[in-house]
Amino acid sequence: MSAISINTPEEYQKAYKKSIEQPEQFWEEIASELLWQKRWDKVLEWNFAEPSVKWFIGGRMNITENCLDRHLSQRGNQTAIIWEPNDPRDKARKITYSELYSQVCHFSNVLLRNGVRKGDRVCIYMPMIPELTIAVLACARIGAIHSVVFAGFSAQSVADRINDSQCSLVITADGLRRGARQSGVKTVVDEALKQCQSVHRVIVFNHLGWEPNMVSGRDVWWHTEMQQVDGDCKAEAMDAEDMLFILYTSGSTGKPKGVVHTCGGYTVYMEYTFRNVFQLREKDVFWCTADVGWVTGHSYLVYGPLLAGTTTVMFEGIPTWPDAGRFWQVIDKHQVNIFYTAPTAIRSLMAAGVDHVLSASLSSLRVLGSVGEPINEEAWHWYNLHVGKERCPIVDTWWQTETGGIMISSLAGVTASKPSHAGNPLPGIQPVLLNNQGEVIEENGVEGYLAIRFPWPSMIRTTYGDHERCRVNYFDTYKGYYFTGDGAKRDEHGLYRIIGRVDDVINVSGHRFGTAEIENAINQSKHVVESAVVGYPHDIKGQGIYAFVICEVTPDNPELLREEIYESVSREIGRIAKPDKIQFVSGLPKTRSGKIMRRILRKVAEGELSNLGDTSTLLDPLVVDQIVAERIL
Ligand code: WT7
């Protein structure tokens, strides 16, 4: 794995220089180490105006041959997946590379048998069990485009996502367990499918031994289907630029959009980033705590680790059940070497007290990672001291659903690391900071809008079914750049510190929501006339959701009305988007043209009342006084 490995500061410098001066040669060498059915004719063609980005043009391959087939001779008997159940009293499952290969091939044949063909879209709505990974890989093997929907989303969200990409089949399970709670999963699918015409088949995995309603002619059981097929399934020869998956994510406007990733570039970038950021070693046990329903789970629970032939841990439960020591016990139990989690999880475990973490050994750990939102210094130090015992480098990895993989991060123990800073860009990544005029700020010690000036293999290709939306969202604000939506600082040494979103997107516990999306959900509530949502700093979640709501009449029982609003949000999006604070107001601060002045609402939510700015140009300046007087602490 020579071209892929960057293990010293000198190698980093050299690789970075080469990636700028000869980007095509740089990526070609890395791509050459993967298994291709046909080599590419040309490395790259691109323009950010349309945008049109193509990598490894003419190349043919299949990501599952790289995740599975090519490992069989060397590591067929090595554990690919360690599955840790929700309840520590239940038995963990270990699945070897040969077993995973066999399961994936069988399930690929199940999909084929049920009419799925290359290019078809398949929705996967499942709990955190190995069958979720098997379903993902089986889709990829036959060239079906997977669209995984996080099992915490509501029936309405599932329906919207299925309809947007016209999925023909859904893979699901009877139910899920998270901590002390169990809930139906198949029932959510049933509810969603009332609104979906495109789905002709549902495959149900029996996880909890429940007896869900099975619609005859539409629903079949995973296990009975698996008995009907054999384990020979040739991997489909995918064009490098064929779609691999769609993953829906929120933006500042409208419904979530389907971010599209393609086969060749995504594969190359996942193995490259996974190996280098975490400084992977042979026999490592890697644990990413993200759900496969988010991009972190796609890239660093499923694809990255399997491409690199690592043992990847998949955990069904939550960090705080049966107690706040669960993560640390799992690390000791499975001798985890590399642990990758989110700042929100660290903060919630910090709040539970240090005893839990101190009662575990954690001596197997070598590298720690953080992802999803800025990690505050306090959480960084706690992670470093109590989890890493000050001997494990921490990688603070900045990236996005749209970037496919890690973009800015130190390489564990190799390049400079500084609390609360993501660090340097990976070789191959060319970030810039732009000022208000869209000009590049060259110096260090500055702050600006974070954009990327050159393509990388796993970047977003389009938003499914609406290419214009992709152009407007990411390539139009600053011509010639991919715009991230984040603001960032660059220190005197060139290290990046991500400050947070500069658009109307809020990041709650590492999950992205558009303020417009939450407002739409709130507005579905019977008595609501209008609403405005902003984020505010939250000790555990990073950002909390603060909603200002106008009702038809002043509510006599505000608690009842709040319940109604929670109900709407749970129905439209899912419980994860529930507002933390709801303030009923008689009006919203608007400009004369009717635009809501979110800046003022944000200040109120943050409690920064001394500096509300000029309110004299508002349609009705008095509403601000009322909002301030009645704000929720
Ligand atoms: C947004 C992307 C990356 C996968 C999980 C979230 C924020 C992500 C960091 C970090 C500061 C971060 C950014 C970004 N973000 N990682 N290490 N430091 N901020 O993926 O849902 O696509 O959200 O998460 O604001 O734009 P996502």
Side-chain angles (χ1 to χ4, degrees), residues 80-142:
I81 300 176
I82 298 176
W83 180 74
E84 175 64 24
N86 178 56
D87 191 326
R89 289 165 302 189
D90 291 340
K91 208 166 164 279
R93 276 169 74 186
K94 290 190 179 176
I95 301 170
T96 65
Y97 271 92
S98 321
E99 287 162 351
L100 184 61
Y101 169 80
S102 163
Q103 292 281 310
V104 169
C105 289
H106 277 90
F107 197 67
S108 298
N109 285 330
V110 167
L111 292 175
L112 289 169
R113 191 180 123 81
N114 282 281
V116 180
R117 294 293 172 263
K118 178 179 174 182
D120 290 353
R121 276 78 57 215
V122 171
C123 174
I124 303 178
Y125 185 72
M126 291 184 97
M128 281 285 280
I129 52 178
E131 285 68 24
L132 166 52
T133 300
I134 292 165
V136 163
L137 294 171
C139 287
R141 190 154 185 97
I142 66 168

Side-chain angles (χ1 to χ4, degrees), residues 249 295-296 370-374 396-402 484 486 498 500-501 507 510 512:
T249 190
V295 75
T296 310
S370 169
V371 60
E373 45 169 323
D396 177 357
T397 63
W398 174 84
W399 57 295
Q400 310 178 293
T401 304
E402 295 85 346
T484 65
D486 281 320
I498 312 301
R501 304 290 306 197
N507 187 330
R512 231 159 109 174

Side-chain angles (χ1 to χ4, degrees), residues 247-250 259 290 294-297 300 340 343 370-375 395-403 405-406 408-409 420-422 450 482 484-487 497-503 505 507 510-513:
L247 185 56
Y248 285 85
T249 190
S250 298
V259 171
W294 310 107
V295 75
T296 310
Y300 299 108
Y340 191 31
S370 169
V371 60
E373 45 169 323
I375 177 164
V395 289
D396 177 357
T397 63
W398 174 84
W399 57 295
Q400 310 178 293
T401 304
E402 295 85 346
T403 70
I406 297 166
I408 302 181
S409 169
S420 286
H421 287 66
L450 180 62
Y482 165 82
T484 65
D486 281 320
R497 172 187 196 135
I498 312 301
I499 301 164
R501 304 290 306 197
V502 294
D503 50 8
V505 167
N507 187 330
H511 305 317
R512 231 159 109 174
F513 299 101

Side-chain angles (χ1 to χ4, degrees), residues 48 95 128 153 157 164 313 372 391 396 418 425-426 428 482 495:
F48 279 177
I95 301 170
M128 281 285 280
F153 278 117
S157 296
D164 183 73
V313 176
R391 50 168 193 82
D396 177 357
K418 181 173 165 186
L426 299 198
Y482 165 82
L495 302 181

